[in-house]
């Protein structure tokens, strides 16, 4: 579209009476010498760049093909995926890692829907992300006249995200992008939908007017200082504890207040439990980590300080037998202090005695100040009892890990991964599956914050390759290791091509036990169809990556697995290791068997 065309296009829109004069004047200038203009494509790109967005994950097609091309031309890294869901997961975890909203860019209706699962996932996990989708012509969509890829995307996105916006005029792009960024990162972070109709992109306006309409968002995630009385109340409750415990959640990891969190834990001497993605916030080998005594400390603790962790299903809702309650829903008697940015989180499951509302950085530093330097360490009998449990369990685990069964089981394979991560503490560890997830979480120690990226709040399968791409792209060039159940891997496996295309240092280890949970189920009718839970036996997953020029390794022993991983890390080449695991080694639903209705019936 040339300058004259775009002037005509903008002139079609009726101008409010007061603006008539200005618009005529602009047109006149354009008639004489084509004015400098900027179109919707470039306004979107400049708005993103102005706010420090340097990477976009997406998949091209009408109406955003040219946007992907122009983003690349403008120096934004455009990572093009094979399925929007994986681009969306990449954006969501990039948001977690960087505190900047991860951007996922898709086409309309089907592409938008493919990205939507990831948007909902981001919202559920409190990760900042913006899903930007092109959309069809509003007038046609609203009359349901059957436009190309017709769908009322804004309405569909709304219940699944924190906020949703649509921009109809080029002049509003700056505001639209600014609002999306603020909504994604301020307060409790989450997913935001930004709807950009096809007609917006070629709209051209005066370049100076356009550029001036863009907003460089000032202080997008303002600090939220906790009230002094809330901090004092928290200190009083903590002071009264005989058996205190701290639980760190992924909100604590997200907040990047690592030094203060460590200082709080070390200065109070309180034992702590990291939730899955908070592993490594302090090294898992830290003296005060109570991970190896989890089932002892939860019911025994009398005061629990939650930092960026919700009392949802992952913590048995803060009650019931896990917490020493007399029945499955009974309160175990603990008193809770909860640090969270959301004022509505407290009391969602049990009574919170001391809610501290604010950002974790400000709250933890206020607590540190309030406790001073003479805090009395927890009673020795509490620490001693934990140490005793811990030592026993660690010794038991060491014994199990030392075994070398044939075929490998989860333990003997993960013993290798454990060593490799210890030797490469800066590597990212992506992890999904059921047994492949639970065993990795408990066996593989993490040493640095925000290195463990996993299935999160939903226990969602399919994040593996999207997360791996994002970690390699925005993670400062560090190695990525993805430990994947064979089922879990299948959800995003085609992104092997993406990993090879961008030549990313990703080493995928598939824990191949021939199926979902196990590979030894049979069809009880004796019919020809296999059980719904099993896959092709001895599937050669390593050959998939060879199709795209990557390195495939078939590993039947811990030695073969170790060699494969070491070589992957040395060469930084995309590598897939097919680790053959005893098909009878896993248990149904991994560690969450109790949530399986079939198991419930049996109880
Ligand atoms: P986990 O699954 O690890 O237990 P959750 O996702 O349940 O963690 O909890 C994360 C919590 O952290 C959420 O309630 C969220 O509101 C909170 N949160 C996220 N970022 C911050 C922050 N910067 N400051 C305070 N709270 C935060
Ligand atoms: N679909 C989605 C999107 N998320 C899910 N969590 C599931 C289905 C159900 N599911 C689990 O919760 S774990 C899992 C499924 C299908 C796969 C387990 O098999 P795996 O791991 O091969 O990945 P293990 O090591 O065999 O247990
Ligand atoms: Mg499996």
């Amino acid at each position: 579209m040339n300058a004259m065309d775009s002037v005509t296009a903008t002139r079609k829109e009726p101008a409010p009476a007061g603006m008539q004069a200005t618009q005529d004047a602009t047109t006149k200038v354009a008639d004489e010498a084509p004015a400098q203009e900027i179109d919707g494509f470039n306004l979107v790109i400049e708005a993103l760049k102005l706010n420090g967005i340097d990477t976009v994950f997406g998949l091209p097609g009408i109406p955003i093909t040219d946007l992907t091309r122009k983003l690349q031309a403008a120096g934004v890294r455009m990572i093009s995926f094979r399925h929007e869901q994986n681009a969306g997961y990449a954006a969501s975890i990039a948001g977690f890692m960087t505190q900047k909203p991860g951007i996922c860019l898709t086409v309309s209706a089907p592409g938008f829907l493919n990205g939507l699962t990831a948007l909902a996932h981001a919202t559920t996990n409190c990760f900042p992300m913006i899903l930007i989708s092109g959309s069809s012509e509003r007038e046609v969509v609203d009359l349901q006249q059957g436009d190309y890829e017709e769908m009322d995307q804004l309405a569909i996105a709304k219940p699944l995200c924190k906020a949703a916006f649509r921009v109809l005029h080029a002049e509003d792009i700056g505001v639209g992008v600014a609002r999306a960024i603020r909504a994604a990162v301020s307060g409790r972070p989450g997913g935001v939908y930004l709807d950009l109709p096809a007609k917006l992109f070629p709209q051209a306006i005066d370049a100076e007017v356009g550029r001036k309409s863009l907003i460089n968002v000032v202080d997008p995630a303002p600090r939220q200082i906790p009230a002094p009385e809330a901090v004092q109340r928290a200190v009083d409750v903590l002071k009264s504890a005989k058996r205190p415990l701290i639980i760190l959640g992924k909100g604590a990891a997200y907040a990047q207040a690592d030094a203060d969190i460590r200082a709080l834990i070390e200065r109070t001497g309180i034992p702590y439990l990291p939730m899955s993605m908070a592993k490594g916030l302090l090294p898992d080998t830290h003296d005060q980590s109570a991970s190896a005594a989890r089932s002892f400390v939860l019911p025994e603790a009398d005061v629990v300080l939650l930092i960026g962790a919700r009392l949802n299903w992952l913590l048995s809702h803060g009650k019931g037998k896990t917490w020493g309650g007399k029945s499955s829903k009974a309160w175990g008697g603990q008193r809770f202090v909860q640090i969270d940015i959301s004022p509505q989180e407290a009391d969602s499951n049990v009574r919170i005695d001391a809610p501290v509302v604010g950002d974790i950085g400000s709250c933890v530093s206020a607590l540190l100040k309030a406790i001073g330097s003479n805090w009395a360490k927890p009673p020795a009998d509490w620490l001693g009892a934990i140490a005793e449990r811990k030592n026993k369990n660690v010794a038991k685990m060491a014994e199990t890990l030392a075994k070398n069964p044939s075929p490998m089981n989860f333990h003997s394979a993960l013993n290798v991964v454990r060593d490799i991560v210890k030797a490469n503490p800066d590597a990212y560890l992506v992890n999904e599956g059921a047994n492949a997830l639970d065993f990795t979480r408990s066996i593989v120690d993490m040493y640095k914050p925000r290195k463990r990226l996993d299935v999160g709040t939903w226990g969602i399968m399919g994040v593996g390759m999207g997360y791996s791409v994002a970690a390699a792209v925005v993670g400062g060039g560090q190695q990525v290791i993805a430990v994947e159940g064979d089922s879990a891997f299948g959800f995003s496996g085609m992104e092997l091509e993406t990993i090879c295309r961008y030549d990313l240092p990703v080493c995928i280890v598939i824990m191949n036990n021939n199926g979902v949970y196990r590979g030894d189920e049979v069809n009880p009718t004796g019919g020809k169809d296999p059980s719904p839970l099993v896959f092709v036996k001895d599937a050669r997953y390593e050959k998939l990556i060879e199709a795209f020029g990557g390195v495939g390794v078939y590993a039947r022993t811990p030695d073969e697995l170790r060699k494969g991983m070491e070589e992957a890390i040395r060469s930084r080449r995309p590598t897939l290791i097919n680790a053959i695991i005893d098909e009878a080694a896993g248990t149904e639903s991994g560690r969450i068997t109790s949530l399986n209705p079939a198991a419930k019936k049996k109880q």
Side-chain angles (χ1 to χ4, degrees):
M1 176 176 278
N2 64 34
M4 287 306 295
D5 284 345
S6 40
V7 170
T8 329
T10 27
R11 255 194 292 174
K12 264 201 238 154
E13 305 283 328
M19 282 181 61
Q20 203 65 54
T22 345
Q23 207 179 40
D24 286 349
T26 321
T27 311
K28 207 158 174 202
V29 175
D31 283 343
E32 283 158 9
Q36 281 288 328
E37 291 192 321
I38 185 165
D39 65 11
F41 284 116
N42 286 302
L43 282 166
V44 170
I45 293 166
E46 294 207 7
L48 293 173
K49 281 181 74 172
L50 187 63
N51 287 289
I53 304 289
D54 52 15
T55 308
V56 169
F57 305 95
L59 201 159
I62 293 174
I64 51 109
T65 311
D66 224 25
L67 185 57
T68 62
R69 214 182 258 139
K70 289 184 154 115
L71 278 161
Q72 187 170 59
V76 175
R77 191 147 191 220
M78 178 69 225
I79 306 290
S80 200
F81 280 72
R82 304 298 296 260
H83 191 292
E84 292 89 350
Q85 190 174 94
N86 305 319
Y89 290 143
S92 75
I93 207 67
F96 168 77
M97 292 166 64
T98 64
Q99 295 184 324
K100 275 198 295 195
I103 310 288
C104 174
L105 177 62
T106 80
V107 301
S108 22
F112 156 78
L113 286 174
N114 285 344
L116 203 53
T117 315
L119 187 69
H121 163 77
T123 308
T124 299
N125 283 276
C126 318
F127 299 159
M129 163 183 172
I130 302 174
L131 174 67
I132 302 180
S133 297
S135 59
S136 305
E137 198 159 332
R138 282 245 42 85
E139 292 83 344
V140 185
V141 173
D142 287 351
L143 278 169
Q144 298 173 34
Q145 294 174 308
D147 201 358
Y148 167 71
E149 296 192 346
E150 176 180 298
M151 176 172 277
D152 188 358
Q153 296 167 197
L154 190 71
I156 289 165
K158 260 184 193 163
L160 298 169
C161 57
K162 228 185 127 180
F165 305 101
R166 174 159 50 224
V167 181
L168 294 177
H169 301 289
E171 295 87 338
D172 294 329
I173 287 172
V175 169
V177 169
R179 299 209 72 191
I181 290 171
R182 259 189 208 289
V185 297
S186 63
R188 172 182 275 177
V192 174
Y193 175 59
L194 185 60
D195 191 274
L196 302 183
K199 257 180 148 175
L200 179 74
F201 295 114
Q203 269 184 41
I205 58 172
D206 178 82
E208 204 192 323
V209 172
R211 293 216 165 87
K212 282 192 175 147
S213 72
L214 301 182
I215 297 173
N216 183 359
V217 180
V218 176
D219 197 10
R223 289 204 300 150
Q224 298 192 19
I225 317 286
E229 61 274 21
V231 174
Q232 194 50 53
R233 193 184 298 123
V235 169
D236 293 344
V237 173
L238 284 173
K239 239 182 213 155
S240 71
K242 297 212 163 48
R243 297 181 304 281
L245 175 69
I246 294 176
I247 297 183
L248 302 173
K250 58 178 161 330
Y254 174 80
Q256 300 193 14
D258 310 337
D260 274 359
I261 289 173
R262 186 173 187 146
L264 181 72
I265 286 174
E266 292 182 343
R267 217 186 285 167
T268 57
I270 299 177
Y272 74 95
L273 280 180
M275 298 300 288
S276 196
M277 281 177 62
K279 272 167 70 77
L281 198 40
L282 282 79
D284 280 335
T285 46
H286 195 283
D287 243 15
Q288 285 170 254
S289 167
S291 286
R294 188 178 196 272
S295 60
F296 171 71
V297 289
L298 290 180
E300 291 297 323
D302 63 348
V303 170
V304 179
L305 165 60
L306 299 158
I307 308 183
R310 289 170 286 186
L311 284 175
N312 57 15
W313 70 280
L314 286 158
L315 281 168
S316 309
H317 304 281
K319 54 193 169 190
K321 293 189 174 153
T322 309
W323 292 85
K326 289 212 163 59
S327 61
S328 66
K329 294 223 158 160
W331 175 50
Q334 286 81 5
R335 286 183 307 143
F336 289 97
V337 178
Q338 182 163 35
I339 298 181
D340 205 289
I341 202 154
S342 163
Q344 295 175 41
E345 185 54 38
D347 303 336
S348 56
N349 285 275
V350 292
R351 173 193 158 107
I352 301 296
D353 296 82
V356 184
V357 175
D359 70 278
I360 285 168
S362 303
C363 294
V364 171
S365 103
L367 266 186
L368 267 176
K369 265 201 205 102
I371 64 169
S373 49
N374 300 320
W375 187 265
K377 298 268 144 117
D381 57 345
W382 173 232
L383 300 182
I386 295 173
E388 194 189 316
R389 256 54 172 213
K390 223 175 114 169
N391 294 340
K392 213 159 72 195
N393 290 339
V394 167
K396 215 158 72 191
M397 177 63 90
E399 214 175 280
T400 315
L401 291 177
K403 288 185 186 148
N404 189 6
S406 178
M408 288 191 283
N409 60 13
F410 287 98
H411 291 89
S412 63
L414 288 167
N415 187 39
V416 173
V417 178
R418 176 186 160 102
D419 289 347
I420 300 275
V421 170
K422 186 174 182 185
N424 299 275
D426 286 311
Y428 288 95
L429 181 66
V430 172
N431 189 201
E432 60 177 340
N435 294 280
L437 175 89
D438 294 334
F439 284 120
T440 305
R441 187 177 51 237
S442 59
I443 293 171
V444 178
D445 288 329
M446 302 304 297
Y447 300 87
K448 298 213 173 169
R450 294 170 294 283
K451 294 293 186 184
R452 189 183 152 83
L453 312 172
D454 71 23
V455 299
T457 304
W458 268 345
I460 201 165
M461 296 299 115
V463 293
M465 297 305 103
Y467 275 21
S468 296
V469 170
V473 168
V474 305
Q478 299 297 340
Q479 175 70 37
V480 180
I481 297 166
V483 176
E484 300 272 313
D486 51 335
S487 165
F489 169 74
F491 287 74
S492 66
M494 194 62 203
E495 304 300 343
L496 284 182
E497 190 276 329
T498 311
I499 289 167
C500 290
R501 181 164 23 105
Y502 290 94
D503 194 22
L504 302 174
V506 176
C507 172
I508 299 141
V509 179
I510 297 189
M511 296 280 150
N512 186 1
N513 63 349
N514 295 341
V516 176
Y517 312 134
R518 300 165 68 96
D520 58 354
E521 289 229 351
V522 290
N523 178 341
T525 70
K528 195 167 167 293
D529 283 352
S531 148
L533 293 145
V534 304
F535 300 143
V536 166
K537 298 244 184 255
D538 197 26
R540 301 302 294 260
Y541 290 103
E542 78 281 8
K543 291 189 193 293
L544 292 174
I545 200 165
E546 289 170 1
F548 308 114
V551 179
V553 177
Y554 184 69
R556 276 157 308 177
T557 65
D559 280 348
E560 287 167 354
L561 174 57
R562 193 181 301 270
K563 272 226 310 272
M565 290 188 79
E566 282 172 351
E567 181 52 24
I569 290 170
R570 196 200 55 73
S571 70
R572 292 176 59 84
R573 290 191 61 197
T575 301
L576 189 154
I577 305 176
N578 185 5
I580 308 305
I581 305 290
D582 183 351
E583 63 175 15
T587 53
E588 180 155 342
S589 312
R591 286 265 298 274
I592 53 172
T593 308
S594 61
L595 297 179
N596 185 342
K600 276 211 169 112
K601 222 170 108 196
K602 278 185 223 147
Q603 276 169 1

